[in-house]
Amino acid sequence: MAQGNMPGYFRSSDSRDVNPDLEAERKTASFSVERLTTMLDGGAENTKTRRAVEAVIHSDPEFNRENQYFQSQNERYEAAVRKSVHFKEKMQQMGWSENGPEITYFYRALGGDLAFNVHIVFKNSILALGTDEQIAKWIPLADKYHIIGSYAQTELGHGTFLRGLETTATFNISTQEFTLNTPKISAMKWWPGDLGRSATHAVVFAQLYIKGKCYGMHPFMVQIRSLRDHSPAPGVIVGDIGPKMNFENVDNGYLMLQNINIPRENMLSRFSEVLPDGTYVKRGSDKINYLTMIVTRVQIIGREVTPMLMKACIIAIRYSVVRRQSELKPGDPEAKILDYQTQQQKLLPLLATAYAFHFMTAYLHEIYNKGYTEIKQGNFHLLPELHALTSGLKAITTECSTAGVEICRRACGGHGYSALSGLPSLYTKLAASCTYEGENTVLLLQTARFLVKCFVAVHSGKPSPPSIAYLFSMDSGKCQAWTKMDFLKPDIYAEAYRHRATRLLGNAATKLQALVQSGAEEYEAWNRCTVQLVQAAKAHCHYIIMKNFIDTVEKLRNEAEIQKIMKHLCDLFALHGIFSYTGDFLHDEYMSGDQMDMVTESYLDLLAVIRNDAVPLVDAFDFTDESLNSALGSYDGHVYRRLYEWAQKSPTNQQVNQAYENYLKPLFQNALSKL
Amino acid sequence: MAQGNMPGYFRSSDSRDVNPDLEAERKTASFSVERLTTMLDGGAENTKTRRAVEAVIHSDPEFNRENQYFQSQNERYEAAVRKSVHFKEKMQQMGWSENGPEITYFYRALGGDLAFNVHIVFKNSILALGTDEQIAKWIPLADKYHIIGSYAQTELGHGTFLRGLETTATFNISTQEFTLNTPKISAMKWWPGDLGRSATHAVVFAQLYIKGKCYGMHPFMVQIRSLRDHSPAPGVIVGDIGPKMNFENVDNGYLMLQNINIPRENMLSRFSEVLPDGTYVKRGSDKINYLTMIVTRVQIIGREVTPMLMKACIIAIRYSVVRRQSELKPGDPEAKILDYQTQQQKLLPLLATAYAFHFMTAYLHEIYNKGYTEIKQGNFHLLPELHALTSGLKAITTECSTAGVEICRRACGGHGYSALSGLPSLYTKLAASCTYEGENTVLLLQTARFLVKCFVAVHSGKPSPPSIAYLFSMDSGKCQAWTKMDFLKPDIYAEAYRHRATRLLGNAATKLQALVQSGAEEYEAWNRCTVQLVQAAKAHCHYIIMKNFIDTVEKLRNEAEIQKIMKHLCDLFALHGIFSYTGDFLHDEYMSGDQMDMVTESYLDLLAVIRNDAVPLVDAFDFTDESLNSALGSYDGHVYRRLYEWAQKSPTNQQVNQAYENYLKPLFQNALSKL
């Protein structure tokens, strides 16, 4: 608690009026914030449902996140379990279904601060890989949390390269059982969520051995803890992997298996089965499982990554019109920091990026649904394209958003370093997304492999998949802009991005071919081109996102005001990309230095234009104060008062200072006689 | 604790042998690691002293950091105070002096994980700003920790812009006292270290008022807590600002003052005094105080920033030869991840950067000492140059190192996200350095202002300060390289960097002049050029660092093997810079696209060369395992075993799982009858 009496200026701390500097920004909006919010939500009905869910969540003290920044790893985990169990009850009470829209809004409202996220993956893996009997046995139990499951794939020594996993499952015909083992330290399961402290069961991936022959990776249902007292099953060593950069709400765990016997029925057998006599039977194609990976990546972009970037933009931009620093014009009051060009240059391209990623998500859902329909009908030809596209876009969006959140954090100066700003935890959480569900460099190289394959195919006369056909059209070889205004034409900048992606892919693929022709082994040649292949994959993704932004803006014909500001954001997004990678566009003289100067001028001009609508543009994201959980970012802009009030709740202000009692008190006594 | 019996492969966990993959890397070193270490330490005597200090520290259980990753903010603070007090005793015991070399090595060994860092600033401010009497009164008490002081400058609403500070100190002739006040929320002191829970005193900066007239910022000695029982002094409201991204060892605090009266003698009066009748007297020049700021920045680079980048490189590079992933050559065992070009491209330029920054520090000490001597003699002409140089270099080194540590962290994949890797805390700690002691963008603009001033002066015929004279020499306007080998010539790349810095400064300064000539007000013109001015300042700093690397390598003539590998690193540092900012060199056709392709090829070739010495190059930094405190980075390379063993100590494995008891147990009972 505060030590001493509070001065008068704290008495009005419950006032609900808005900081006048922030209020002024809202009065001059060039568009209706509510209309834009509705558009972002995908319709007024959705906005209504979302706000109703938020009202339910935020009025329930069980979901309060106020103390989150003061909690230990243990406390975060316990709170997450409590909230998750409470949420199950709430859903029943409210009549919300597992697949309803409310779930998405619920996660959004709580910032994903729950337990049992991998339990969902556990369930999905049973649904995807289990037989109808297996589904009927396990899913009802999992649905009601009567068991909690983990998805145990990653090992201490193996993540990305699944074929390298070392856990074994050996079939014994005599007992009709599989024996699961962890043969060495590096084979220990490590990282699976919900495993460290919660799970009773796990879908364990292991190399299947029958009569000494290895059949590769298969999924097995293993009980790991007692349902009676939660003690580890005999032969199971299981625990928590300890502190992480964030995600304290998740009990990531480790698992060692020593001669664990499970019945034959516990191998998930939709696509392959071991018969009682040890015969291995494969059935159907498991290609459809790629869909799980694809849909997971689309969800990561839409539910986790983009919202976190949006939140960081809201916090940093609102703070930047409340915070004043230095005289811009000598003699004037100190200026809002958003009036400095360097601050605009940090934040406004990120605001444009958040919009770009949001629109990208809508597009991904569209093409995913199209692909899903075809694949369900047994037509798999879209799969490689979808896989390559979502891999690259997952990498780009997580990388840019993570970097972006950190730029927002630093743009808030010292206060951005306080946990109470909400920004450090956004960063430490989002940073994980660059690694999970496919390490970004690995993913970009998968995209690149697909692009190179298509490059070779097209150059031998075969057709190109539609999403990358643009890479193989002709251009004039020179940018057709003559004034800085020309660079506000989508045709001009789209063509520049196209040219760049085409050139980078062409160069990398040509180098690869040349190395092979000069005698290098294919794997070696590939390795020696990977730095450039990553560049090509990024340029491709950058084009796709930018082009989709252009297409989205075009469709806004009936919303003139919104279309106008979205056009500005689209221009900013595109020109910021050119400004950030000038060399890519100058390299083969597609652009001249003079043209690049025009890009720079147009880009800097746009910053000043968008600055005027910056606050309404982040308001439109419509995140509640409770969801932002930021002393700097609240709607009312009372940042200093809130920092102070929140700091009072810190345990460092509420506990006896043992360091003083034990170490400092005896020292300070010495000064008493002298002062 | 681990639940269950441990399998056999854990029995040899105390074995001291080295992982064979790591050992193999050391056998092929092209140079003597010990000789390089000695060189980095600045001589064999220093290496000896350093290792002796490390032996003392690491053998003392009081300095153990093993549990650091499991501690709460409170526990971190208490441990830091305990260690600091213990260190004072240790110093006396060992006969180490406050200004001896041991202190530096002590901080290095403990990773700066101590309390009372701002207490040192408090002391230095008394020494710099106090009269001889004030020094005699306060310093002996502070030296023995009989008082602990904070340096209270920053306020909730004001950091960078000191003139904007709002705390007031009003002189009353009748009582011969100053009355200090915090007139509004934004005037509350916020962030000062050692203030939240420890300090008894503070040097408080406040606007001095005498007879209604403001005389600007002055320093006042204020007692804020009782020496008897540590309660806040009457009228003082003081506490901890709560959790931060890191620095839990520091009790950053807040302070409100309500009519606090202090005697006239408590204004630190070396440079200005208030006489009993209210007359304000200024004496001497306080320019010398800039030296404090300058030396602080040099120390930040040398003691905090570069060592953290080195540590991250050690951890990531050692791990990258122990970790194996995927088949590089089909059929071969999984490859060391450092054999992938993309991994080399992430880590090896950072290794070169760590060396570049280390050499830069040596250079900065040299020119600082030169400047100090002159300034002590009353010759201040070097001050602006030193200030501009250290401002820019502080910004560049903190920004690059922070980004570099995060690249290292992600290059370790999932395990880099574990706190036990040591990498998350390196990042969250180093990230603060981009903001403290001058926000980086503000600092770069200070450098730019100096450069522009010199640009104008030189173009009106005046001489240039020596460190930037290179900006004003002539060049041929075209890069003189014809083959990729030419780009391994320091003359060639130094000239390219020179040309780039010159062009960027010239463009920004010219734009600035043009805007003013076309009628823009000066402040407005400056603001509209700041994005480009920052680029120019960065290019200048980049040149300085690269040029100093070249000069350092040249001086190594008597160490042929070390000179050879340092030359490779210097080349890599320089070419990586060109590869990362291609547009800067292509813009005015100083380089052609073909030349840039040569740069790329030379750069990629170098990665493969340096990869062979990567482990010896990080070994040479000679950080102890205790100092690294990383499960991934230890000298012996037993990463998986250590991750497992350290995880056992986590509180999440040692406490009763209340979440299970309270929420899950009742649910799991339902499954008992069904499974």
Side-chain angles (χ1 to χ4, degrees), chain A residues 7 73 173 196 216 286 308 326 352 354 386 392 407 449-450 537 565 595 608 622:
Chain A
Q73 189 184 3
I173 298 176
D286 58 358
M308 286 204 251
S326 303
L386 256 181
I407 291 170
R449 203 174 276 280
F450 174 76
I565 186 72
Q595 285 175 319
D622 205 32

Side-chain angles (χ1 to χ4, degrees), chain A residues 198-257:
Chain A
S198 301
T200 56
H201 290 71
V203 169
V204 174
F205 281 81
Q207 303 287 356
L208 169 64
Y209 283 87
I210 310 170
K211 297 178 193 162
K213 185 178 163 192
C214 182
Y215 289 84
M217 293 290 301
H218 288 75
F220 300 88
M221 175 68 74
V222 183
Q223 180 167 351
I224 56 171
R225 285 190 179 94
S226 158
L227 289 164
R228 205 172 298 277
D229 64 7
H230 216 226
S231 61
V236 166
I237 297 177
V238 62
D240 189 282
I241 66 164
K244 296 148 292 186
M245 201 167 184
N246 196 322
F247 279 98
E248 291 108 335
N249 53 313
V250 179
D251 56 319
N252 298 93
Y254 61 79
L255 177 68
M256 269 183 284
L257 303 171

Side-chain angles (χ1 to χ4, degrees), chain B residues 69 315 409 415-424 629-633 643:
Chain B
Y69 301 127
I315 296 168
R409 193 191 65 69
H415 295 326
Y417 195 74
S418 165
L420 308 179
S421 72
L423 292 164
N629 210 12
S630 164
L632 302 187
L643 271 176

